[in-house]
Amino acid sequence: MGGRRGSRTQRKHFKQSRENVWKRPKTESSSDPNNPNSNNPAWQPFATQNPSFDEYYREQGIVSPEEWDAFMEMLRKPLPAAFRINATSQFCEDIRSQLENDFMKSLQAEAIEGGDLEPIKPLPWYPDNLAWQSNFSRMQLRKNQTLERFHEFLKLETEIGNISRQEAVSMVPPLFLDVRPDHFVLDVCAAPGSKTFQLLEIIHHSAKGRFLPDGMVLANDLDVQRCNLLIHQTKRMCTANLIVTNHEGQHFPGCRSHKNISNGSDTTNNLEQSIPQLLFDRVLCDVPCSGDGTLRKAPDIWRKWNGGMGNGLHCLQIHIAMRGLSLLKVGGRMVYSTCSMNPVENEAVVAEILRRCGGSVELVDVSNELPQLIRRPGLTKWKVRDKGVWLPSYKDARKLQRNGIVPSMFPSGKNYADLTNNNQKSENGESVNAEDVVQPDDTISSIDDLEEEVSDLSLQLCMRIVPHDQNTGAFFIAVLQKVSHLPAIPDKSATSQGKLSTRSELHENLSDQAAEEINGLEVSSVDGADEKILEVASKAEENISEMALEAADEKISEETSEVDEKISEVALEADLVDDEPAGGAPESNSSEAADKKTDSAKTGEKRKLQIQGKWKGVDPVLFFQDETIINSIKAFYGIDESFPFTGHLVTRNKDANHVKRIYYVSKSVKDVLDLNFRVGQQLKITSVGLKMFERQSSREGSLAPCSFRISSEGLPVILPYITKQILYASPADFKHLLQYKSIKFADFVDADFGQKAADLILGCCVIVLREDHIQADASAIAIGCWKGRSSLSVMVTAMDCQELLERLSARMETEKNGTLEPESLGVLDKKQDLSGENRTPLEDHNVEAMKIQDTNASE
């Protein structure tokens, strides 16, 4: 329903991305490569070789010559599918048991009998058998009933959120972060969100017994459309400990507050200051890369690959990693990773990070962690290739005048500058130490005669995962720890460029402290805006003291406000057309804005603009403080006073009368939002919080004392605190609700339960499955329902109902040692004659609904 609709809308986001060559057009797909009688000339086998690729990686020595053939053979095979069980799911144990005792054993038996099937198996290095791998073709899927049943199981559980499909090697970086439930975690380049989901799992799973974890995850991505994919992915987690932002990773805002409100002098915000600056305990930098480690699942890379792909990304990767380290707390851990095999994107980046940070950052030896994961040490020597020429050192790049090559790409990282330059400056304007300056020779030797550079850093502590070791993709991982504050980075001269012209140049030419002050500033394209920013930045650079920085910050805010006002005026004047506004991102709820159209033909008034926040096209994030609505919700559901309400509710609409959704945030997310308000909303937030309450817009809903219902996503969080509008149903009646969706009060098997349901107040209510324990906690199985005048109706999607029915049936079968007595459970047996004379009133009322139920939802 809602999830499916969002899933379909996401397909347009892939239109401009890399083509999926596994899927041929229909005109071509009819030809069978294995059919010798196929005479369709349009079909061509996928090219799985590239001479440049072979030459490049043979020379780099990422595998020994003896292994080369096995390495290349594995790269040409399709990648096995992998998936991970959500450790925080209510049915985690049930799903794992079904995989171990049903699907795995069934497929093993078929393999023993002579079949060509490869059984599913858990990944040996992933903790608690929560990650699995399967390897079968579409043809096998269509021909084997067990595989077909397994495939349907995967689709259902993935849609619900109990299972996440993810490449096996992609699961590795979060495991080395050593995340704990109280950690603030930054995922710098998070989309499409599989690692973010995994980080949230770890935080919630390790916080068992607590209301909500004290930590949180901030997931960021540069691309808005990919942010939408990230939101769609993480929605299945149902968490209040997540913020999704949309920034360049290398320019992520520092959010440092210089306002001292300890004496209560801050009159604009009565909320207590919790954190002065946004710093993180853990940072994951899974940076953009050439992606040649994903050749097995993206074979189009074979024909597109060239040796210069990594060179073009090298500097960006360094900037993102350095920004991540600057946002990391002292003592914190950062994981740098890529899905590339290129040392220029991997070891070269890590080496440059270590050089820039001096002794403040160290590589961590994690060889004792995940012992069953086969990994190889990082390289200490490599070459750079540019335009068909091998460059063992930067000295050779200078000889050949290769301007796109920088010293950090080479193992030593040394600059080779002309010592006759009195200022001792390198090409990019940086000061060069005398011991790092090497005079170039007059002649160029052949590659066999050139001396290779070898890094003196402990790069062997990095990890390389190669495909033929464990039948996976390729990956690179480096674990770094920040042991002290980063050293000051020397300012770069701007004289070679003439003047600063872009925001990235501004960041490069300010000191770290000044850059962090101006980092969060975003100004739209209005003439004179950039000049004003640069003028303020220059003043801040002249005097880097705290007072000067605060003054610069205030000045920038004033200038930005003037520009924003001008933009608003221009936009208002231009908004004369009565067309509907374009649809926004899933979490940018344009429908919530007070944008009801007036009859312009009669009034002549302009259409009211959607209320937006500081960031163009993004709805504001506001703390919900309408006491009338909050008190009505509290009174209607009897929410216990111990439930933390104050400051934890947010909305995306300033007009409380038109708010459709109210989101709940954890204490950690609340603190970050507080800080973001104090620093002028530097964070561009696209999604935040867990949807807790939703306005019931139906006619019957408007008659209810409380117009807000509890959402399915937020129910587990608030369930232990509800004292009204809550009932406990027997397994029979609970399954009836899931099967038939709507039941009249008189038709319940338990007449007492039906009477209690009739006595409820009109509106939303919660039905909890009555098990051995009576108290409703976060682990209890519960659904939201609507109490109408004569019936109780389920407010859960059809897919959720189906999955819950299957889980309950499987659990009851297990408890009864494999035997199930439908009559004792009050569940109608679909095998009996539906036209019989002995049907109950419930069966008469729902017989048609019964016929269309999926057979998988039967007892």
Side-chain angles (χ1 to χ4, degrees):
M1 302 265 291
R4 286 172 171 263
R5 183 166 59 252
S7 175
R8 286 197 296 269
T9 59
Q10 303 303 321
R11 294 178 184 173
K12 66 178 184 292
H13 302 150
F14 291 98
K15 289 182 178 179
Q16 302 301 324
S17 63
R18 186 176 65 228
E19 61 178 322
N20 186 349
V21 298
W22 289 117
K23 294 183 179 179
R24 293 288 185 177
K26 290 184 178 180
T27 57
E28 300 180 15
S29 60
S30 59
S31 60
D32 186 358
N34 299 318
N35 183 5
N37 298 322
S38 176
N39 56 1
N40 188 346
W43 189 90
Q44 299 247 340
F46 301 122
T48 56
Q49 53 187 347
N50 185 319
S52 298
F53 179 90
D54 291 11
E55 179 188 0
Y56 187 85
Y57 282 116
R58 277 183 185 273
E59 186 66 32
Q60 299 291 13
I62 60 171
V63 296
S64 64
E66 295 77 18
E67 296 177 276
W68 180 258
D69 290 340
F71 168 71
M72 292 299 294
E73 182 183 357
M74 186 61 71
L75 277 180
R76 294 187 176 102
K77 292 181 179 179
L79 184 70
F83 59 90
R84 194 183 66 254
I85 304 172
N86 183 355
T88 63
S89 168
Q90 286 180 312
F91 301 106
C92 174
E93 294 294 332
D94 296 338
I95 293 173
R96 181 169 54 189
S97 176
Q98 186 173 359
L99 288 170
E100 293 173 345
N101 301 320
D102 181 4
F103 293 115
M104 185 171 71
K105 289 184 177 179
S106 298
L107 293 173
Q108 284 177 344
E110 293 190 25
I112 293 174
E113 292 174 1
D116 58 347
L117 291 179
E118 183 177 340
I120 63 171
K121 57 184 178 181
L123 295 173
W125 45 265
Y126 201 96
D128 303 325
N129 275 9
L130 291 175
W132 291 68
Q133 190 176 61
S134 62
N135 191 12
F136 51 84
S137 66
R138 292 183 181 274
M139 183 64 69
Q140 290 174 317
L141 176 64
R142 287 192 292 265
K143 290 184 176 181
N144 187 282
Q145 291 184 351
T146 304
L147 284 182
E148 188 175 0
R149 184 167 60 90
F150 171 69
H151 187 61
E152 292 300 320
F153 161 83
L154 271 186
K155 289 195 297 184
L156 177 61
E157 299 298 343
T158 301
E159 186 71 23
I160 297 298
N162 293 332
I163 280 178
S164 293
R165 301 194 192 192
Q166 183 180 0
E167 188 179 348
V169 288
S170 177
M171 304 177 192
V172 177
L175 297 179
F176 284 115
L177 268 180
D178 188 28
V179 175
R180 298 170 190 170
D182 59 339
H183 281 167
F184 278 46
V185 184
L186 172 63
D187 192 349
V188 184
C189 307
S194 56
K195 296 184 186 67
T196 302
F197 197 104
Q198 190 177 356
L199 291 169
L200 288 166
E201 275 185 41
I202 297 172
I203 284 181
H204 281 272
H205 184 58
S206 56
K208 286 184 177 179
R210 304 187 190 181
F211 167 63
L212 281 176
D214 295 328
M216 55 88 66
V217 176
L218 196 153
N220 175 76
D221 201 85
L222 165 65
D223 189 87
V224 175
Q225 303 293 4
R226 286 172 60 82
C227 276
N228 293 340
L229 296 176
L230 170 61
I231 294 167
H232 178 72
Q233 172 87 307
T234 53
K235 263 185 178 180
R236 301 178 302 119
M237 184 65 192
C238 299
T239 177
N241 297 65
L242 172 69
I243 298 177
V244 179
T245 60
N246 176 214
H247 292 281
E248 292 181 330
Q250 68 272 30
H251 297 150
F252 191 86
C255 295
R256 176 183 295 175
S257 175
H258 294 287
K259 296 179 181 179
N260 182 12
I261 65 171
S262 59
N263 56 4
S265 60
D266 185 6
T267 58
T268 61
N269 190 351
N270 294 325
L271 296 173
E272 180 184 358
Q273 179 176 357
S274 300
I275 48 177
Q277 184 180 3
L278 187 56
L279 295 175
F280 298 89
D281 302 279
R282 299 289 186 265
V283 175
L284 176 59
C285 278
D286 188 48
V287 298
C289 64
S290 59
D292 55 22
T294 65
L295 279 166
R296 298 183 66 185
K297 70 174 182 180
D300 56 315
I301 296 178
W302 280 107
R303 62 182 175 85
K304 296 179 180 179
W305 189 95
N306 65 76
M309 293 172 67
N311 299 347
L313 292 166
H314 172 81
C315 292
L316 173 64
Q317 292 163 339
I318 292 174
H319 292 156
I320 294 175
M322 288 301 298
R323 187 58 186 155
L325 286 170
S326 68
L327 296 168
L328 185 66
K329 295 178 182 177
V330 174
R333 179 180 284 197
M334 184 181 91
V335 167
Y336 173 86
S337 63
T338 74
C339 54
S340 169
M341 296 180 281
N342 195 336
V344 174
E345 301 176 72
N346 298 330
E347 286 89 351
V349 173
V350 174
E352 179 63 13
I353 291 171
L354 296 175
R355 284 191 291 265
R356 290 191 183 189
C357 296
S360 60
V361 173
E362 297 176 350
L363 275 170
V364 181
D365 184 1
V366 291
S367 57
N368 293 327
E369 300 180 25
L370 303 183
Q372 290 184 285
L373 175 67
I374 301 176
R375 82 290 297 266
R376 303 187 179 208
L379 305 177
T380 56
K381 62 179 182 178
W382 61 89
K383 304 182 185 72
V384 178
R385 187 173 177 84
D386 182 60
K387 298 178 182 178
V389 178
W390 285 105
L391 305 170
S393 71
Y394 184 61
K395 172 175 58 177
D396 306 296
R398 285 181 54 82
K399 291 176 183 177
L400 297 174
Q401 298 183 350
R402 299 301 173 92
N403 296 327
I405 305 300
V406 294
S408 57
M409 293 180 180
F410 298 89
S412 71
K414 291 182 178 180
N415 284 292
Y416 292 81
D418 188 355
L419 291 178
T420 59
N421 184 353
N422 295 330
N423 294 327
Q424 294 286 299
K425 298 286 185 179
S426 66
E427 286 185 346
N428 58 7
E430 292 186 5
S431 297
V432 181
N433 296 328
E435 58 270 21
D436 289 339
V437 179
V438 181
Q439 277 279 30
D441 297 330
D442 295 330
T443 60
I444 301 176
S445 303
S446 66
I447 189 169
D448 296 328
D449 297 332
L450 289 175
E451 182 181 353
E452 282 189 273
E453 291 187 356
V454 179
S455 175
D456 57 355
L457 300 170
S458 54
L459 297 179
Q460 67 275 8
L461 296 179
C462 301
M463 291 171 284
R464 283 181 163 269
I465 300 175
V466 292
H468 61 291
D469 279 344
Q470 286 182 305
N471 194 13
T472 63
F475 226 77
F476 174 86
I477 302 162
V479 183
L480 300 143
Q481 185 167 12
K482 188 174 181 179
V483 296
S484 63
H485 292 287
L486 300 182
I489 299 176
D491 293 343
K492 297 179 181 179
S493 173
T495 55
S496 61
Q497 297 289 337
K499 64 176 182 178
L500 300 178
S501 59
T502 66
R503 180 66 52 84
S504 61
E505 290 173 353
L506 173 62
H507 280 280
E508 290 294 329
N509 287 271
L510 284 178
S511 66
D512 280 351
Q513 193 172 3
E516 287 184 3
E517 291 300 313
I518 303 172
N519 195 32
L521 180 63
E522 291 292 333
V523 181
S524 299
S525 299
V526 176
D527 292 339
D530 285 340
E531 285 75 12
K532 293 178 182 179
I533 298 174
L534 296 175
E535 180 182 350
V536 176
S538 299
K539 293 179 181 178
E541 192 175 13
E542 291 173 3
N543 189 347
I544 202 67
S545 66
E546 191 77 15
M547 294 179 60
L549 280 172
E550 291 183 8
D553 189 45
E554 293 174 3
K555 178 65 176 175
I556 292 172
S557 299
E558 293 173 6
E559 301 289 358
T560 307
S561 299
E562 294 176 6
V563 173
D564 287 342
E565 290 175 6
K566 184 176 179 180
I567 294 171
S568 299
E569 292 174 4
V570 174
L572 189 60
E573 292 174 1
D575 191 30
L576 299 175
V577 183
D578 283 333
D579 294 338
E580 289 290 340
E587 286 297 307
S588 182
N589 301 312
S590 58
S591 61
E592 292 187 16
D595 59 354
K596 286 189 175 182
K597 297 170 69 175
T598 58
D599 190 352
S600 57
K602 296 180 180 180
T603 63
E605 295 178 359
K606 299 172 182 176
R607 177 167 56 87
K608 189 173 183 180
L609 283 174
Q610 174 186 337
I611 300 175
Q612 294 182 343
K614 171 187 173 181
W615 299 93
K616 183 179 179 181
V618 178
D619 293 337
V621 178
L622 304 166
F623 285 107
F624 187 75
Q625 297 175 335
D626 190 313
E627 293 298 330
T628 303
I629 294 179
I630 293 176
N631 290 334
S632 71
I633 292 174
K634 281 183 171 182
F636 184 75
Y637 296 106
I639 298 175
D640 192 272
E641 291 297 327
S642 62
F643 182 76
F645 250 121
T646 306
H648 289 265
L649 299 180
V650 299
T651 184
R652 308 302 298 265
N653 196 334
K654 292 181 180 179
D655 188 354
N657 295 325
H658 292 83
V659 167
K660 286 189 176 180
R661 300 172 185 87
I662 301 174
Y663 300 87
Y664 189 84
V665 297
S666 65
K667 171 67 166 56
S668 52
V669 172
K670 170 182 172 292
D671 290 342
V672 174
L673 294 179
D674 289 343
L675 174 64
N676 191 41
F677 282 121
R678 293 198 307 273
V679 298
Q681 300 185 50
Q682 294 180 11
L683 293 177
K684 183 180 180 182
I685 298 175
T686 59
S687 177
V688 63
L690 173 67
K691 185 169 68 174
M692 182 69 73
F693 304 107
E694 191 163 10
R695 190 185 293 273
Q696 188 69 16
S697 55
S698 65
R699 185 184 64 173
E700 193 175 37
S702 62
L703 302 176
C706 179
S707 57
F708 282 86
R709 65 180 178 88
I710 301 174
S711 72
S712 299
E713 298 95 317
L715 181 58
V717 174
I718 201 172
L719 179 61
Y721 302 89
I722 298 175
T723 60
K724 297 180 182 179
Q725 294 292 103
I726 184 169
L727 291 178
Y728 295 84
S730 65
D733 284 326
F734 197 85
K735 293 189 72 174
H736 277 156
L737 277 170
L738 294 174
Q739 269 185 302
Y740 306 126
K741 310 300 187 294
S742 180
I743 300 179
K744 292 183 178 180
F745 301 134
D747 292 341
F748 284 104
V749 175
D750 186 348
D752 185 51
F753 174 80
Q755 184 58 47
K756 289 180 179 179
D759 293 340
L760 291 174
I761 303 174
L762 178 71
C764 178
C765 61
V766 177
I767 306 300
V768 183
L769 175 63
R770 185 172 65 233
E771 296 181 297
D772 295 336
H773 60 281
I774 298 299
Q775 183 179 0
D777 54 24
S779 63
I781 299 174
I783 56 174
C785 294
W786 185 264
K787 189 269 178 181
R789 290 187 176 89
S790 60
S791 63
L792 204 61
S793 302
V794 173
M795 304 182 76
V796 180
T797 66
M799 183 165 291
D800 284 332
C801 287
Q802 177 188 348
E803 196 271 343
L804 201 51
L805 270 170
E806 293 183 4
R807 288 282 141 236
L808 292 179
S809 297
R811 181 175 292 185
M812 291 174 183
E813 287 178 3
T814 302
E815 291 174 355
K816 293 179 180 294
N817 297 321
T819 60
L820 185 65
E821 301 176 7
E823 293 80 3
S824 66
L825 296 175
V827 180
L828 179 63
D829 189 348
K830 289 184 180 180
K831 296 180 181 179
Q832 71 185 28
D833 184 5
L834 293 176
S835 62
E837 297 180 357
N838 296 323
R839 289 199 304 258
T840 66
L842 171 62
E843 293 159 3
D844 276 327
H845 181 69
N846 297 291
V847 65
E848 292 302 321
M850 187 64 167
K851 291 179 180 179
I852 63 174
Q853 291 295 320
D854 187 355
T855 54
N856 288 334
S858 67
E859 340 33 77

